[in-house]
Amino acid sequence: SFGAKAQSLVLGPRSRMLIAAGNPEKCVSCAGPALDDILARYQVVHVHQCLTAWGIFIAARARLAGALVIGSDLGGGDVPDLVAYPVIADVFDLFHALSDFATTAFLGLPVPCRVIAGPVDDSIFPLSLAPRDPAQLLSLGRILPHKGFERAIAALPEGARLTIVGHNYDDAYLAFLKERARGRDVVFRTEASDADLKEIMRSASLLLHTGVHIGYQGMYYGKPELLSLAPLEAMATGMPAIVSQAGALPELARLAGCRSFHDEAELAAMLRRHLAGELFTLAPAEIRAGVVAEYGLASFGRRYLHIIRDALADRR
């Protein structure tokens, strides 16, 4: 990463973070021997937010240093010039997509793309066998319009309680949600800590992710969910999830612990079935096993190392 001065931070027994001097918003401030010396140490360089000007700049420097360069799009935007000049993407050896939906970011670019779904950190979200309250529902995510929390509020059946957890990034949207929640059993937790979240996740019986492509004011969001960690984290604890059809969310419904809805009427019907104990019948351990097998750290790591080996072999 980048900052006001160079630093080296130990993150764990086999990982560290190098801070190079510079401001990513001004690529020229990052250029120079200090950055190039860092990049020259590594055989593989993985660039996140790879379609931004900064991501392309770092990829070009890494390619000049002789590294195998992989890029991931995390929804941070893209450079319009890529549409007119897709050859710019040739600074990458390959792209990594977080989901099948995420591959759409790389359409038309002359670089191979590999899908490795996930990962979810299943070590941070262990299985919970604590009693869950069937009436307690949870929605988790930043308070931003593409999260579509108003759909969860509208579909909330009588007798159910909804807790919305997420830091507020849009005051107008939060005010809109609170107005929609008036008279309903809805609680907003916009300052919850990680410890608070884990406690809430131990008691809730269902995770709702109601993301949208079209927000409450009519704005279109092309990439609302390239993966979506919240449902995966919930399922890692043994809690089932219901998700919308936005972005990559319906892909999660391939897991036995997840269902996908098309509209608020269908969601409301699913929630009534959940309250009656009819929607999900799997044990928490079975829900966790499915998500760990498909999206867990070990599964992701094996697949990731495989594409790196293949890419290095193709280079040779």
Side-chain angles (χ1 to χ4, degrees):
S1 190
F2 293 85
K5 62 180 181 179
Q7 297 183 68
S8 179
L9 309 175
V10 176
L11 302 181
R14 293 184 295 173
S15 61
R16 61 179 174 148
M17 175 180 284
L18 299 176
I19 309 293
N23 178 0
E25 294 182 0
K26 298 178 180 179
C27 294
V28 68
S29 73
C30 306
L35 173 62
D36 292 340
D37 287 348
I38 290 174
L39 295 174
R41 302 175 200 172
Y42 298 95
Q43 186 181 19
V44 179
V45 174
H46 193 133
V47 180
H48 299 280
Q49 306 295 14
C50 66
L51 300 182
T52 63
W54 176 87
I56 292 169
F57 165 74
I58 295 296
R61 303 307 303 180
R63 193 68 177 268
L64 287 172
L68 175 79
V69 186
I70 303 173
S72 290
D73 173 38
L74 304 179
D78 47 58
V79 176
D81 291 344
L82 280 168
V83 176
Y85 306 102
V87 70
I88 294 172
D90 275 339
V91 294
F92 294 94
D93 288 282
L94 62 93
F95 290 124
H96 158 235
L98 306 174
S99 62
D100 291 337
F101 173 77
T103 63
T104 59
F106 307 114
L107 293 177
L109 300 180
V111 177
C113 179
R114 303 287 183 266
V115 178
I116 316 176
V120 60
D121 192 337
D122 45 271
S123 65
I124 293 179
F125 296 93
L127 175 66
S128 174
L129 297 178
R132 297 183 182 274
D133 182 347
Q136 183 62 58
L137 313 181
L138 171 65
S139 284
L140 173 62
R142 295 167 295 163
I143 305 299
L144 287 170
H146 71 273
K147 296 297 182 181
F149 292 117
E150 65 275 13
R151 306 177 78 189
I153 295 171
L156 192 66
E158 185 175 351
R161 303 184 303 279
L162 175 66
T163 299
I164 297 176
V165 179
H167 291 294
N168 176 32
Y169 291 88
D170 190 318
D171 290 339
Y173 181 52
L174 180 58
F176 167 78
L177 292 176
K178 288 183 175 180
E179 178 62 30
R180 285 298 180 93
R182 185 175 297 179
R184 297 174 179 265
D185 201 341
V186 180
V187 175
F188 294 88
R189 297 286 302 273
T190 58
E191 301 295 335
S193 66
D194 289 348
D196 294 333
L197 173 59
K198 289 182 179 181
E199 185 61 34
I200 294 168
M201 292 182 78
R202 277 192 288 268
S203 60
S205 64
L206 183 66
L207 188 287
L208 301 181
H209 197 306
T210 49
V212 295
H213 279 283
I214 300 177
Y216 76 114
Q217 292 181 319
M219 182 176 292
Y220 175 74
Y221 300 93
K223 297 187 284 189
E225 299 294 340
L226 292 172
L227 174 65
S228 190
L229 286 174
L232 295 175
E233 292 167 351
M235 286 185 280
T237 72
M239 185 200 312
I242 295 178
V243 300
S244 73
Q245 292 283 307
L249 288 170
E251 297 177 37
L252 305 186
R254 295 187 291 228
L255 297 168
C258 185
R259 302 285 182 88
S260 185
F261 70 93
H262 290 83
D263 54 36
E264 284 84 353
E266 185 178 15
L267 175 58
M270 285 182 172
L271 294 180
R272 289 193 294 270
R273 290 186 61 201
H274 170 71
L275 290 181
E278 301 171 352
L279 190 62
F280 294 99
T281 58
L282 290 177
E286 293 176 291
I287 294 175
R288 175 178 170 83
V291 73
V292 169
E294 292 295 323
Y295 293 89
L297 290 175
S299 175
F300 180 92
R302 285 193 298 270
R303 296 168 183 169
Y304 183 68
L305 291 175
H306 182 76
I307 68 166
I308 288 177
R309 292 189 189 104
D310 284 352
L312 289 173
D314 289 344
R315 267 195 159 195
R316 288 192 292 270

PDB file of all heavy atoms in Angstrom, residues 183-204:
ATOM      1  N   GLY A 183     -43.030   2.244  12.755  1.00  0.00           N
ATOM      2  CA  GLY A 183     -44.127   1.336  13.073  1.00  0.00           C
ATOM      3  C   GLY A 183     -43.767  -0.134  12.935  1.00  0.00           C
ATOM      4  O   GLY A 183     -44.608  -0.997  13.205  1.00  0.00           O
ATOM      5  N   ARG A 184     -42.548  -0.414  12.508  1.00  0.00           N
ATOM      6  CA  ARG A 184     -42.092  -1.802  12.374  1.00  0.00           C
ATOM      7  C   ARG A 184     -40.987  -2.077  13.391  1.00  0.00           C
ATOM      8  O   ARG A 184     -40.351  -1.146  13.899  1.00  0.00           O
ATOM      9  CB  ARG A 184     -41.589  -2.079  10.960  1.00  0.00           C
ATOM     10  CG  ARG A 184     -42.657  -1.940   9.891  1.00  0.00           C
ATOM     11  CD  ARG A 184     -42.059  -2.084   8.505  1.00  0.00           C
ATOM     12  NE  ARG A 184     -43.072  -1.974   7.465  1.00  0.00           N
ATOM     13  CZ  ARG A 184     -43.688  -3.012   6.913  1.00  0.00           C
ATOM     14  NH1 ARG A 184     -43.390  -4.235   7.296  1.00  0.00           N
ATOM     15  NH2 ARG A 184     -44.594  -2.849   5.973  1.00  0.00           N
ATOM     16  N   ASP A 185     -40.765  -3.328  13.680  1.00  0.00           N
ATOM     17  CA  ASP A 185     -39.776  -3.710  14.686  1.00  0.00           C
ATOM     18  C   ASP A 185     -38.393  -3.796  14.027  1.00  0.00           C
ATOM     19  O   ASP A 185     -37.893  -4.876  13.714  1.00  0.00           O
ATOM     20  CB  ASP A 185     -40.148  -5.054  15.317  1.00  0.00           C
ATOM     21  CG  ASP A 185     -39.479  -5.252  16.674  1.00  0.00           C
ATOM     22  OD1 ASP A 185     -38.483  -4.550  16.937  1.00  0.00           O
ATOM     23  OD2 ASP A 185     -39.947  -6.104  17.453  1.00  0.00           O
ATOM     24  N   VAL A 186     -37.797  -2.629  13.780  1.00  0.00           N
ATOM     25  CA  VAL A 186     -36.511  -2.529  13.091  1.00  0.00           C
ATOM     26  C   VAL A 186     -35.545  -1.716  13.953  1.00  0.00           C
ATOM     27  O   VAL A 186     -35.905  -0.632  14.427  1.00  0.00           O
ATOM     28  CB  VAL A 186     -36.654  -1.873  11.700  1.00  0.00           C
ATOM     29  CG1 VAL A 186     -35.290  -1.772  11.011  1.00  0.00           C
ATOM     30  CG2 VAL A 186     -37.633  -2.656  10.835  1.00  0.00           C
ATOM     31  N   VAL A 187     -34.332  -2.225  14.128  1.00  0.00           N
ATOM     32  CA  VAL A 187     -33.292  -1.544  14.892  1.00  0.00           C
ATOM     33  C   VAL A 187     -32.103  -1.293  13.982  1.00  0.00           C
ATOM     34  O   VAL A 187     -31.692  -2.186  13.226  1.00  0.00           O
ATOM     35  CB  VAL A 187     -32.851  -2.388  16.109  1.00  0.00           C
ATOM     36  CG1 VAL A 187     -31.672  -1.730  16.823  1.00  0.00           C
ATOM     37  CG2 VAL A 187     -34.017  -2.573  17.073  1.00  0.00           C
ATOM     38  N   PHE A 188     -31.537  -0.089  14.043  1.00  0.00           N
ATOM     39  CA  PHE A 188     -30.346   0.250  13.263  1.00  0.00           C
ATOM     40  C   PHE A 188     -29.141   0.296  14.193  1.00  0.00           C
ATOM     41  O   PHE A 188     -29.159   0.974  15.222  1.00  0.00           O
ATOM     42  CB  PHE A 188     -30.516   1.617  12.581  1.00  0.00           C
ATOM     43  CG  PHE A 188     -31.595   1.635  11.538  1.00  0.00           C
ATOM     44  CD1 PHE A 188     -32.912   1.923  11.876  1.00  0.00           C
ATOM     45  CD2 PHE A 188     -31.296   1.363  10.210  1.00  0.00           C
ATOM     46  CE1 PHE A 188     -33.907   1.943  10.921  1.00  0.00           C
ATOM     47  CE2 PHE A 188     -32.287   1.376   9.248  1.00  0.00           C
ATOM     48  CZ  PHE A 188     -33.599   1.665   9.595  1.00  0.00           C
ATOM     49  N   ARG A 189     -28.074  -0.418  13.815  1.00  0.00           N
ATOM     50  CA  ARG A 189     -26.825  -0.423  14.586  1.00  0.00           C
ATOM     51  C   ARG A 189     -25.715   0.087  13.663  1.00  0.00           C
ATOM     52  O   ARG A 189     -25.068  -0.684  12.961  1.00  0.00           O
ATOM     53  CB  ARG A 189     -26.495  -1.839  15.088  1.00  0.00           C
ATOM     54  CG  ARG A 189     -27.521  -2.426  16.052  1.00  0.00           C
ATOM     55  CD  ARG A 189     -27.427  -1.799  17.427  1.00  0.00           C
ATOM     56  NE  ARG A 189     -26.105  -1.964  18.000  1.00  0.00           N
ATOM     57  CZ  ARG A 189     -25.726  -3.048  18.704  1.00  0.00           C
ATOM     58  NH1 ARG A 189     -26.582  -4.055  18.899  1.00  0.00           N
ATOM     59  NH2 ARG A 189     -24.510  -3.137  19.203  1.00  0.00           N
ATOM     60  N   THR A 190     -25.524   1.402  13.637  1.00  0.00           N
ATOM     61  CA  THR A 190     -24.558   1.995  12.708  1.00  0.00           C
ATOM     62  C   THR A 190     -23.174   2.181  13.320  1.00  0.00           C
ATOM     63  O   THR A 190     -22.253   2.601  12.624  1.00  0.00           O
ATOM     64  CB  THR A 190     -25.064   3.365  12.202  1.00  0.00           C
ATOM     65  OG1 THR A 190     -25.281   4.221  13.330  1.00  0.00           O
ATOM     66  CG2 THR A 190     -26.359   3.204  11.423  1.00  0.00           C
ATOM     67  N   GLU A 191     -23.030   1.876  14.603  1.00  0.00           N
ATOM     68  CA  GLU A 191     -21.730   2.015  15.260  1.00  0.00           C
ATOM     69  C   GLU A 191     -21.279   0.695  15.875  1.00  0.00           C
ATOM     70  O   GLU A 191     -20.445   0.689  16.780  1.00  0.00           O
ATOM     71  CB  GLU A 191     -21.803   3.095  16.349  1.00  0.00           C
ATOM     72  CG  GLU A 191     -22.204   4.469  15.849  1.00  0.00           C
ATOM     73  CD  GLU A 191     -21.172   5.080  14.906  1.00  0.00           C
ATOM     74  OE1 GLU A 191     -19.987   4.704  15.004  1.00  0.00           O
ATOM     75  OE2 GLU A 191     -21.554   5.928  14.072  1.00  0.00           O
ATOM     76  N   ALA A 192     -21.786  -0.399  15.399  1.00  0.00           N
ATOM     77  CA  ALA A 192     -21.453  -1.697  15.985  1.00  0.00           C
ATOM     78  C   ALA A 192     -19.992  -2.062  15.733  1.00  0.00           C
ATOM     79  O   ALA A 192     -19.471  -1.862  14.632  1.00  0.00           O
ATOM     80  CB  ALA A 192     -22.366  -2.781  15.421  1.00  0.00           C
ATOM     81  N   SER A 193     -19.337  -2.606  16.743  1.00  0.00           N
ATOM     82  CA  SER A 193     -17.963  -3.087  16.615  1.00  0.00           C
ATOM     83  C   SER A 193     -17.970  -4.508  16.064  1.00  0.00           C
ATOM     84  O   SER A 193     -19.028  -5.143  15.928  1.00  0.00           O
ATOM     85  CB  SER A 193     -17.275  -3.078  17.980  1.00  0.00           C
ATOM     86  OG  SER A 193     -17.902  -4.023  18.845  1.00  0.00           O
ATOM     87  N   ASP A 194     -16.794  -5.037  15.765  1.00  0.00           N
ATOM     88  CA  ASP A 194     -16.695  -6.427  15.314  1.00  0.00           C
ATOM     89  C   ASP A 194     -17.241  -7.371  16.381  1.00  0.00           C
ATOM     90  O   ASP A 194     -17.921  -8.353  16.072  1.00  0.00           O
ATOM     91  CB  ASP A 194     -15.242  -6.781  14.995  1.00  0.00           C
ATOM     92  CG  ASP A 194     -14.742  -6.102  13.730  1.00  0.00           C
ATOM     93  OD1 ASP A 194     -15.579  -5.543  12.986  1.00  0.00           O
ATOM     94  OD2 ASP A 194     -13.527  -6.130  13.484  1.00  0.00           O
ATOM     95  N   ALA A 195     -16.944  -7.088  17.646  1.00  0.00           N
ATOM     96  CA  ALA A 195     -17.438  -7.923  18.739  1.00  0.00           C
ATOM     97  C   ALA A 195     -18.967  -7.856  18.821  1.00  0.00           C
ATOM     98  O   ALA A 195     -19.637  -8.872  19.026  1.00  0.00           O
ATOM     99  CB  ALA A 195     -16.818  -7.481  20.060  1.00  0.00           C
ATOM    100  N   ASP A 196     -19.536  -6.647  18.641  1.00  0.00           N
ATOM    101  CA  ASP A 196     -20.995  -6.498  18.641  1.00  0.00           C
ATOM    102  C   ASP A 196     -21.612  -7.329  17.522  1.00  0.00           C
ATOM    103  O   ASP A 196     -22.635  -8.004  17.722  1.00  0.00           O
ATOM    104  CB  ASP A 196     -21.380  -5.028  18.446  1.00  0.00           C
ATOM    105  CG  ASP A 196     -20.969  -4.138  19.604  1.00  0.00           C
ATOM    106  OD1 ASP A 196     -20.853  -4.642  20.728  1.00  0.00           O
ATOM    107  OD2 ASP A 196     -20.751  -2.932  19.363  1.00  0.00           O
ATOM    108  N   LEU A 197     -20.986  -7.265  16.338  1.00  0.00           N
ATOM    109  CA  LEU A 197     -21.525  -7.996  15.193  1.00  0.00           C
ATOM    110  C   LEU A 197     -21.543  -9.494  15.464  1.00  0.00           C
ATOM    111  O   LEU A 197     -22.539 -10.177  15.180  1.00  0.00           O
ATOM    112  CB  LEU A 197     -20.694  -7.694  13.941  1.00  0.00           C
ATOM    113  CG  LEU A 197     -21.038  -8.530  12.707  1.00  0.00           C
ATOM    114  CD1 LEU A 197     -22.494  -8.335  12.308  1.00  0.00           C
ATOM    115  CD2 LEU A 197     -20.102  -8.182  11.548  1.00  0.00           C
ATOM    116  N   LYS A 198     -20.462 -10.021  16.009  1.00  0.00           N
ATOM    117  CA  LYS A 198     -20.408 -11.465  16.277  1.00  0.00           C
ATOM    118  C   LYS A 198     -21.480 -11.875  17.274  1.00  0.00           C
ATOM    119  O   LYS A 198     -22.077 -12.952  17.151  1.00  0.00           O
ATOM    120  CB  LYS A 198     -19.018 -11.842  16.771  1.00  0.00           C
ATOM    121  CG  LYS A 198     -17.955 -11.772  15.690  1.00  0.00           C
ATOM    122  CD  LYS A 198     -16.596 -12.210  16.197  1.00  0.00           C
ATOM    123  CE  LYS A 198     -15.551 -12.149  15.084  1.00  0.00           C
ATOM    124  NZ  LYS A 198     -14.215 -12.594  15.547  1.00  0.00           N
ATOM    125  N   GLU A 199     -21.744 -11.018  18.258  1.00  0.00           N
ATOM    126  CA  GLU A 199     -22.791 -11.317  19.236  1.00  0.00           C
ATOM    127  C   GLU A 199     -24.163 -11.319  18.571  1.00  0.00           C
ATOM    128  O   GLU A 199     -25.003 -12.202  18.831  1.00  0.00           O
ATOM    129  CB  GLU A 199     -22.752 -10.287  20.362  1.00  0.00           C
ATOM    130  CG  GLU A 199     -23.717 -10.580  21.503  1.00  0.00           C
ATOM    131  CD  GLU A 199     -23.449 -11.908  22.192  1.00  0.00           C
ATOM    132  OE1 GLU A 199     -22.263 -12.314  22.293  1.00  0.00           O
ATOM    133  OE2 GLU A 199     -24.430 -12.555  22.612  1.00  0.00           O
ATOM    134  N   ILE A 200     -24.410 -10.348  17.705  1.00  0.00           N
ATOM    135  CA  ILE A 200     -25.687 -10.286  16.980  1.00  0.00           C
ATOM    136  C   ILE A 200     -25.841 -11.514  16.084  1.00  0.00           C
ATOM    137  O   ILE A 200     -26.930 -12.106  15.990  1.00  0.00           O
ATOM    138  CB  ILE A 200     -25.768  -8.992  16.151  1.00  0.00           C
ATOM    139  CG1 ILE A 200     -25.817  -7.771  17.067  1.00  0.00           C
ATOM    140  CG2 ILE A 200     -26.987  -9.007  15.231  1.00  0.00           C
ATOM    141  CD1 ILE A 200     -25.619  -6.447  16.352  1.00  0.00           C
ATOM    142  N   MET A 201     -24.743 -11.919  15.434  1.00  0.00           N
ATOM    143  CA  MET A 201     -24.808 -13.070  14.530  1.00  0.00           C
ATOM    144  C   MET A 201     -25.062 -14.369  15.285  1.00  0.00           C
ATOM    145  O   MET A 201     -25.591 -15.330  14.716  1.00  0.00           O
ATOM    146  CB  MET A 201     -23.518 -13.171  13.711  1.00  0.00           C
ATOM    147  CG  MET A 201     -23.338 -12.042  12.718  1.00  0.00           C
ATOM    148  SD  MET A 201     -21.844 -12.175  11.718  1.00  0.00           S
ATOM    149  CE  MET A 201     -22.343 -13.415  10.528  1.00  0.00           C
ATOM    150  N   ARG A 202     -24.714 -14.421  16.551  1.00  0.00           N
ATOM    151  CA  ARG A 202     -24.956 -15.651  17.322  1.00  0.00           C
ATOM    152  C   ARG A 202     -26.429 -15.827  17.666  1.00  0.00           C
ATOM    153  O   ARG A 202     -26.882 -16.956  17.873  1.00  0.00           O
ATOM    154  CB  ARG A 202     -24.124 -15.636  18.612  1.00  0.00           C
ATOM    155  CG  ARG A 202     -22.697 -16.107  18.417  1.00  0.00           C
ATOM    156  CD  ARG A 202     -22.006 -16.363  19.739  1.00  0.00           C
ATOM    157  NE  ARG A 202     -21.692 -15.116  20.437  1.00  0.00           N
ATOM    158  CZ  ARG A 202     -20.527 -14.480  20.304  1.00  0.00           C
ATOM    159  NH1 ARG A 202     -19.595 -14.981  19.505  1.00  0.00           N
ATOM    160  NH2 ARG A 202     -20.305 -13.357  20.957  1.00  0.00           N
ATOM    161  N   SER A 203     -27.179 -14.713  17.725  1.00  0.00           N
ATOM    162  CA  SER A 203     -28.579 -14.821  18.139  1.00  0.00           C
ATOM    163  C   SER A 203     -29.559 -14.768  16.977  1.00  0.00           C
ATOM    164  O   SER A 203     -30.675 -15.298  17.077  1.00  0.00           O
ATOM    165  CB  SER A 203     -28.913 -13.705  19.139  1.00  0.00           C
ATOM    166  OG  SER A 203     -28.713 -12.436  18.550  1.00  0.00           O
ATOM    167  N   ALA A 204     -29.191 -14.136  15.861  1.00  0.00           N
ATOM    168  CA  ALA A 204     -30.104 -14.036  14.711  1.00  0.00           C
ATOM    169  C   ALA A 204     -30.262 -15.396  14.043  1.00  0.00           C
ATOM    170  O   ALA A 204     -29.356 -16.230  14.060  1.00  0.00           O
ATOM    171  CB  ALA A 204     -29.590 -13.008  13.720  1.00  0.00           C
TER     172      ALA A 204
END
